[in-house]
Amino acid sequence: MTTTELWCDRCGEPATATAHPACASARQLEPPRFCPHCRRRMKVQVLPVGWSAVCVEHGEIRG
């Protein structure tokens, strides 16, 4: 996570409150579920060639 991310993109909890080792290891295999900037639940689509996650406030992330 970068310093501009306030929320964990997997569990939605504050990114700086505690370490998130389970979230970090899960994120190697899964797309993000929460927007790291505003904590909104994102619309996630998993495709055979990758994934996309869309926050209504901050736009799309692809992986």
Side-chain angles (χ1 to χ4, degrees):
M1 290 180 225
T2 65
T3 56
T4 60
E5 296 176 341
L6 304 173
W7 309 100
C8 176
D9 62 3
R10 181 173 178 263
C11 68
E13 295 300 316
T16 56
T18 61
H20 293 260
C23 294
S25 63
R27 279 284 290 118
Q28 294 177 15
L29 303 172
E30 300 177 3
R33 302 294 176 182
F34 291 89
C35 177
H37 304 288
C38 65
R39 198 182 191 185
R40 284 189 171 96
R41 186 94 168 145
M42 295 194 293
K43 179 180 80 174
V44 177
Q45 183 175 16
V46 178
L47 305 167
V49 294
W51 53 264
S52 69
V54 180
C55 171
V56 295
E57 188 70 26
H58 296 101
E60 184 176 29
I61 303 169
R62 290 182 175 263

